[in-house]
Every structure is written in structure tokens, then in C-alpha cells.
Amino acid sequence: MDALFAHAPSPYVLFDSDLRMIWANDAYQKVIGRPREAFIGRLVTEAFPAPAASVSERMLRGSFRRVLETGEADHLPLIPYPIKDEDGRDVERYWSATHTPIPDAEGRVEYILQNTMDVTDLVRGEQVAESEGLARSAAMVHRADAVATENLALGRLTDFFQTAFDQAPSFMAVLNGPEHVFQIVNQAYTDLIGGREVIGLPVRDALPDIQGQGFVELLDQVYRTGEPVSFTGMPAQIQASPDVPPEQHFVDFVFHPLNDDTGQRTGIFVQGHDITGQKIAEAELTARRDKFRVMAQTMPNQVWTADKDGGLTWLNKRTYEYTGHREGELYGADWARVVHPDDIEGTQAKWAAAIREGVTYATEFRIRRNDGCYRWHIVRASPLRTRDGTLTGWVGTNTDIEERKNIEAEIAKVNASLEARVERRNRELEELYAALRQSQKLEAIGSLAGGIAHDFNNLLQVITGNLQFAMRNLPPDSAARERLDQAMRGVERGATLASQLLSFARKQPLAPVVTDLNRLVNDTSEILSSAIGEGVELEIRSADGLWNTSIDRNSMENALLNLAINARDAMDGQGKLTIDLSNAELDEAFARTHPDAKPGEYTCLTVADTGCGMTPEVLDRIFEPFFTTKADGLGTGLGLSMVYGFAKQSGGHVTIDSEVGEGAAIRIYLPRSREEEQTTRAVADADLSGGSETILLVEDDDEVREVTVNMLGDLGYTVLQASDANEALDLLAQERAIDLLFTDVVMPGETNGQVLADRAREMRPGIPVLFASGFVQDAIVQGGRLNEGVQLLEKPYTQLQLAQKIREVLGSDGVAVSVAAPDAEVVSDQAEGAAPTTQTTDSPRVLICEDDALIRLDMVEQLREAGYEVLEAASARAALDWLRSELVDVLITDVGLPDQTGEELAQEARAAHVDLPVIFATGDVDVPSAATLGNCKVLSKPFGSAILQDAVEEIFISRGRNAR
């Protein structure tokens, strides 16, 4: 600046954008008569103060503002502005100034350069002029002053109109010429277009985003025709900048032509309102109204609206359908036409009170239906209010309560007769208590059934084994054998009863095998025909390619027989029974309507009859335990509940279809199996097979154990006995061959059969396990079905069943068994407590010490039949007397003796006979002395003759002697 203007003869001063004086040249200092430090760094209004709101101040500020806003130079031909003289007095001076903008790199005004001339002498020269030239100069200055004053007034007027223009609530703009160049826009218009600077630009350049929306074409039309146009709610897509998406607006506007004094078109005045918010609100209101109407039309109730005075204005379709009136016929107060005459007065009074008080309306009255019938309705209405609480209308509903009114009437009748109510209530309580007692009884029976069946089956097992032994050597035509056959049939009936108890208690185990259901049904057809009688025609149909299923065959046969018998009874012995076998796929839709069924592939067995059918009430309860429609004594009500339980335990499903007089069809869906059918070979008594394997028998019931040992011994097996799991584990820990663990499931103590089997497999991996039980617990059963791989023999069982199951588990046919009569018998007359007597023989001599006479007698007979010389004693004292007087090859002793233990007897016997072998026969597993003394064996009671004989023979063989 110094290089350019420092020595210029004209005064220059530089302002920043805040109008702070930051530089001046020498000529400026001279004209104002002040040093630089008096004004540099100060605002112009501080350095040269003028009266507030004076003409001088307004003219100067207006010029500076125009420069800053437009970026263009501004001129003040004449401005009166007082400054202080050397004495500090304000002296009125006149100036002529030019303000030139100096922009920064981005084009914004950064500085303003003022060139100012003091023209005070020229202004005052008119009064002192002595020549005509000076007078003309003064006149020119006064004209310039007048022009400046007019410009100031015009500027003030322009500022006023611009301020009013900007503060107008509507958007406005003035466009010049045929290109519609923006001359003036107010703030509302600027806000509408996103704050864009459009002054001096044609509409097409300033607002390219509105091209193609019709606005420019309308402007051209107005400019061409001179006719104004206006639109309401016209949509406009406005995109303020390329980096933001377009926004949807709605505008009301008018385009009005502007003409000059000659009528020539000069431009267009644009004015309008942005009604986007209103449009959105209207759309939301319309949506809410539509939503209300849709909801009201789909409601099952009658819905209506009313104005603030209570006149109906709208009703939904349900109202018209119910009343039979057409739309509009019940508007206003005409709704009273459908109200029961007896209810109209009270109804109208309550409605008027609700309207008057502006509170919720609720009442009950009868409304006439389209058939002339009146039904009770509860009518409710809620007031509609604006945000300030002004009541604007009502919305109400009519709900049919005829059924409730009828019930209330019935209750009123019941209440009118208290005595009848009390009597009825007493009867209801009696029935309730009876049902409760029945429920408790059934629960108790269910809890006891399993335990009873367990003990009962153990008793039946003892009876079965002994009956078979007793029948073995009897001629077929003997009277004794006939009676024993009757006893065996009684055992079978008892086993059936136990099975029914287990089924009722849901403890009947299922042993499913892959089965061809068609083959099973046809194999059972003779039994079915016999059960239903000659008066019922039996037809069996099977689809081609019938799928296999995995089921318990015996349970399936029982279920089929139950269904056939029920069908026969429903047909009174005359009709047709159809058994149909087919494949079925149950889908998700079926499963949704039958919650306990699972989608999948099933083999379906349908049993259909032509009987009397069932009522819906009977169908609802048909599978309930003990529910029966038969006369007392003709049915237990367990048949169908057992069928249902079998199907569910098999992973299947049961459905029943029936109508009174149309018969019934029961369908059992059993899961499909993709495996091949498993076939079993029926073995007759003549094919009784045994083997030479060693079996560890674990049974806590002494009698059952003894019978089982005898059965196994007769079959040729070597049997090790244990009365509980601990004794069995001790035997498993010994180094001796054990080919099969045969254990009861239910045993005393914490270790049951399943736990024992698990520990046995840990000790001897791969050892086969066969369970025996008359009461199967959850240890080996899941959901009523045997766990995978579990082998079970249900008590009671025959020797044939035992033989078959063992060979099935061990995996070979075994060897044929035939039991011969004993060849010889050695009689001993030794009585309990008598002095020992000797008997000369070359046979090995065995001393038996057992206090139980029956057990001792059985052992003596078994060994004598095998060819041994047997000495017997009932106490340890008697046994020691024999040992002192006779040579004995083997001592067999019970552990529990009346005078001392068998272990103590063995220790005393060894003191006299160091090498004497000892066999402990006991119901306990733990015999510590057997390991301590050595050369001992432990036989767990009960054991059969073969076990006893094998134990004695092993001792003689180990000593290098022939047993017999």
C-alpha cells in the first residue's frame, strides 16, 4: 500500500472487514489534521464519532454494507460528516468518498480502500463566490448533495421493503426479462431452495433441478401471454446440491406478470406458500382415518362415529348388516329407530347427559335385528378432543351381550331358589370329592402296581422253575403232570395280570424289532377270527410296498386283539371288521392340528368297524384309563388306554374317527423303519439248547436265584452266584472266565442292575449283559422303550425262554440238552446232631455243613446222584466232629451257621487238614477268608446242581484226581 499510495496527493485510508482503520497515507493525515496513532487500529466510528442514527452515520454505514454484500465499489458523492478541529470542537465538514473492495483468495471482501476528498469549501463556496465559475461549482456540489440525500432516502426505503420482503411468511421473488433472471428473493424463497445464491442468474441456471417439472414452462407462458397463473398443492422435487438427494415439496403459488409504465413486460412476480407440512399432515390424517375405517370395518362389533352434538355421522358394515338399514338411514338422531321402544327414553337421557358433560358413555339397550328380533347390546362411546381439550366428536361400539343377558337371567332364576342352589352345590361337592377319591385311588394303585408286579413276578419265577423241574420226569399221561400243567397255566394267567399291572403303571418295557406289519397281522388273523366270532366278517387289506416299522411285536398283537374285541362289542357280534395297512406321511399341517404328533413317514394300521359309533362326549374320553361304555363287569376300560400308551411309547400316534350310527375307525401311526425285517426262530421244547459258558448270576431273591441256578445248571452252564452288586463286582475282579452277566434290574442298595452292568463293562469290555426283571425302572428304559442294545428277560420266564434268550445274547445255537435220570443214589441216615457214622466207598467224600434242612437235603441229593459220598452236618460243631473222625476230600459250608461262621469253621478245618479244599455256599458275595485261605471257591445261592457239581469237579481235577 505504501508503494502505491503513500505519496499520492489524494487521501487514502484502508479498513478491514470490521471497519477498523489499519493504514492511511500522508495526504489522509493532512486532510484530517491528526497523526496516525490517533486513529490507526480503531473503528471508524470510534475515531470519527457521529451522532447515532444521524444522516452522516447512516450514509457511511450503508456504503460500507453495500461493498461487503455485493463485492463492488460504492460512491458517496457528498456526505456531511463532522470531525474535531485542533481545539477539540466538532466542525461540520463535507466529503466525497469512494469505497473500493479488496478481496481475499476466495473472493470474499477482506479490506475496503477509501479515497476521500474534503469538499467543504465547494459546498460553502455558493455563499462566498465572487465569480460565476465558482458559483456553478457550488451549485453542482449542492446538486450532488441533493442526489445523495435522495439516494439515502431511496436506500432507506429499499431497506424497509427488503426487510418486509424477507419477513413475509410466504416465499416471493422478482424475475426480470424473458430469461427470468432473479432480481429479488426473500428469505422464505431462499430457505425453500436450500440457501442457494440466485441473484443475477436465470431460473434455468439457478434452479436446474426443477427442469421438466412444468414451472419454467409456466413462467414462459405468463411472460408471453401476460396472464397470471396459480396452482395449489403442486409437487416439486428440489435438490439443493448434487451431494444431497432431492426433497419432495408441495407448493401453492401464483406467477403474476410485471409491466412498466408503457405496458411493456419487464418480469414476473412470484409468490406462494410451502405447504409440504400441511400435505404430510393431511396424508397422515387420511392414513389414520383409513386405518380407523379398515379396523372398524373388520371388527366383529358394530362401530360408529358421531359429531360433538351426538348426531351419528358414520357406521361400519356390521351395523348395516345387523339392522338391515342402508347407509345414511341412521345418521343424526335417526339411530333411535332401531332401539327397543321400552329402552329409548332412558337411552336418550344417558346420551344427552354424556354429551353435556363430555364424559364416556356406557349403557345397555336392545337393538332391532334385520329380522325384527331385538338383542341386548352394551353401547360405549368415548369423546374425541383436540389438544386443547375441545370436544370434536365421538366414537362408539355396540357389542352383542344377548348370551350374557341370558346367562344372567338363568343365574337370576337360580338365585331365586336358594335351597335348590345349595342342594345342587352339595351334589356337585359330593361328585367332586368322589372324583378326588377316585383320582387318589388310581394314583395309589399306579404307585403300588410296579412294586407288586416285581414281587409277584419273583414268586411266579420260583413257582415256574420248580414246576418245570417237577414235571420233567413225569409221564405225559400221569395225573400229577395234569395237575402241574394246570398250575403252570395259573402261573401264565398270573404273569398276564402282572403285565397288565405294569401296563397300567406305564412300566411295561417295549423291546422293538423291525417288523413287517402285514406279516404280523396275517399271522394273527386266526386269533382275531376266533376272538370276534363267526358273526363278524374280517377283511385284511395291505398296500403294495408297505414300509417296515420297529415295534414290540407282543404289544402290537395285544393292541390289535384289544381293538378287534372292542369292535366286536360295538357291533354286537354282527358286522364287518376291516384292517387296512398303508403308508402315510404326516406333514407339518397335520402336526399343527395334532400337537403330540411329529411330521414324518409312518406305517398306518386302520381298524374300522360297522358298529354303533360314538358320541363326541365319548370320543373326548375314549383313551382315558378305566373309561368304558360297557356294562359293569364287562370291561375294565384299560384296553384302548393300553393301545394309546403302546403307540405313544413306540414313537407313533393314534387318531379316531366316529359318528353315531356310522361305526368307528382307529388309526395307529407307527414310525417307518428303513431296516430289513428281523425274524426270530421259534424253538420248541424238544429244541432246548444250552451251552458250556460261564454265567455270573446276580439276584437278591434267594428263591429266585436258586431256581435260576438250577435252570442254568440243567442247561449245562457254569454258574457263579451273587446276591447283590458288590458280591458280583468281587467275582468280576477275579481272574476267571465269565461269558455272560445275568442280573436283576431292581436290587437293594444304591447299585442297581444298570450301574452294575456299566461297571462290569469297564472291568471286562465287551461282556454281554442280560437283564431280568418283573418291574423295569428308568435305568434301562426311556419313554417306555428299552434303551438301545439292552437285552431283557421278563419275569416270570420258563426254562425254554431262558435258554432261547441266553443263546440269543451269546450269539450261537448252543448245544442240545437232554436231562437223564440219576444212575445211583447213596442214602445217608445221618440226622442233625447225631454222632457221625462212616460209610465205606471208593467215591470222593464231600462234607456239607448247612443249617437249612431243605437246602442241605437238596445239595446232598444232587451230589449223591452225581456219584459222590456225602457227609452232612447242621452245625460247625457237627462238621468238626466229622473232620476229626473221617477223611474228607472237600468241605462245603454255609457262611451263616448257628454256632459260628463258616469262615471260622474253615479256618479250624485248615488247622487240622492243611490242604483241605473249601467251598463256601452263601447268599453273600463278600467272603474274605476265601482269598486268605486259598484253594477256596464261593458259590452264590441259589445255585443249581450243575454249578455245585462243576465246583466239586474242578477241585478234584485241580488236585489231579478223578471226581467220580
Side-chain angles (χ1 to χ4, degrees), residues 612-629:
C612 59
M614 288 174 267
T615 64
E617 292 76 16
V618 171
L619 279 174
D620 288 341
R621 303 185 58 194
I622 195 64
F623 293 123
E624 291 183 8
F626 301 111
F627 176 77
T628 178
T629 58

Side-chain angles (χ1 to χ4, degrees), residues 545-596:
L546 187 69
W547 294 331
N548 288 338
T549 183
S550 181
I551 54 171
D552 185 297
R553 292 175 181 172
N554 289 335
S555 298
M556 182 71 252
E557 291 173 355
N558 289 336
L560 188 57
L561 187 59
N562 266 314
L563 293 175
I565 292 173
N566 278 347
R568 176 202 66 192
D569 294 343
M571 295 183 288
D572 289 333
Q574 299 291 326
K576 182 176 181 180
L577 177 65
T578 303
I579 299 176
D580 185 82
L581 300 169
S582 61
N583 298 328
E585 292 190 35
L586 303 184
D587 56 15
E588 293 287 349
F590 183 91
R592 283 194 295 270
T593 57
H594 299 79
D596 53 348

Side-chain angles (χ1 to χ4, degrees), residues 288-417:
R288 285 197 296 269
R289 287 175 177 171
D290 291 344
K291 183 177 180 180
F292 167 78
R293 289 181 180 273
V294 171
M295 178 184 68
Q297 294 291 14
T298 56
M299 286 179 62
N301 292 7
Q302 301 172 22
V303 183
W304 49 271
T305 61
D307 58 28
K308 64 178 182 178
D309 297 323
L312 268 59
T313 57
W314 181 85
L315 301 93
N316 71 346
K317 293 179 181 179
R318 301 295 171 273
T319 310
Y320 292 118
E321 291 170 356
Y322 178 83
T323 62
H325 284 272
R326 293 189 299 273
E327 184 174 356
E329 290 183 348
L330 299 178
Y331 284 176
D334 289 340
W335 58 268
R337 295 165 57 185
V338 296
V339 180
H340 194 282
D342 295 342
D343 303 334
I344 186 65
E345 184 177 351
T347 298
Q348 288 178 328
K350 290 182 179 180
W351 183 225
I355 295 171
R356 183 172 59 255
E357 299 172 11
V359 297
T360 299
Y361 172 65
T363 188
E364 297 175 4
F365 55 82
R366 287 164 287 183
I367 300 176
R368 188 178 63 243
R369 199 167 56 188
N370 52 25
D371 59 359
C373 174
Y374 285 92
R375 292 179 65 86
W376 280 99
H377 288 72
I378 182 169
V379 181
R380 298 187 179 92
S382 297
L384 301 176
R385 300 181 184 277
T386 60
R387 292 184 177 180
D388 61 1
T390 302
L391 178 66
T392 59
W394 300 80
V395 60
T397 60
N398 306 335
T399 304
D400 192 316
I401 58 169
E402 182 71 18
E403 297 300 329
R404 194 195 77 184
K405 281 290 188 178
N406 292 338
I407 293 173
E408 290 175 352
E410 290 297 325
I411 294 175
K413 292 179 181 178
V414 172
N415 289 336
S417 178

Side-chain angles (χ1 to χ4, degrees), residues 792-858:
L792 174 68
L793 183 61
E794 295 185 61
K795 297 177 182 178
Y797 48 81
T798 64
Q799 189 176 30
L800 175 60
Q801 292 170 331
L802 175 63
Q804 292 174 334
K805 194 65 179 180
I806 289 179
R807 294 322 314 170
E808 178 186 339
V809 175
L810 290 177
S812 66
D813 293 336
V815 296
V817 175
S818 61
V819 181
D823 297 329
E825 182 176 359
V826 179
V827 179
S828 173
D829 295 329
Q830 179 68 37
E832 181 178 342
T837 61
T838 62
Q839 187 171 2
T840 304
T841 178
D842 292 334
S843 300
R845 182 175 287 176
V846 179
L847 172 59
I848 297 176
C849 184
E850 169 64 60
D851 62 318
D852 188 299
L854 292 176
I855 296 177
R856 186 174 70 249
L857 177 62
D858 184 54

Side-chain angles (χ1 to χ4, degrees), residues 34 61 161 225 295 312 326 351 355 373 383 395 410 444 498 603 676 687 690 721 736 745 760 832 866 913 943 955:
R34 298 186 189 180
R61 284 189 177 276
F161 280 109
T225 64
M295 178 184 68
L312 268 59
R326 293 189 299 273
W351 183 225
I355 295 171
C373 174
V395 60
E410 290 297 325
T603 302
E676 294 296 325
D687 295 328
Q721 305 178 53
R736 59 192 307 170
V745 177
E832 181 178 342
H913 305 277
F943 46 80
I955 288 177

Side-chain angles (χ1 to χ4, degrees), residues 69-96:
E69 289 178 353
T70 64
E72 297 178 358
D74 189 74
H75 304 284
L76 290 174
L78 186 66
I79 173 174
Y81 206 97
I83 62 173
K84 297 185 182 297
D85 60 9
E86 295 178 356
D87 299 328
R89 292 176 301 176
D90 287 334
V91 179
E92 186 71 26
R93 305 275 294 274
Y94 293 88
W95 311 85
S96 178

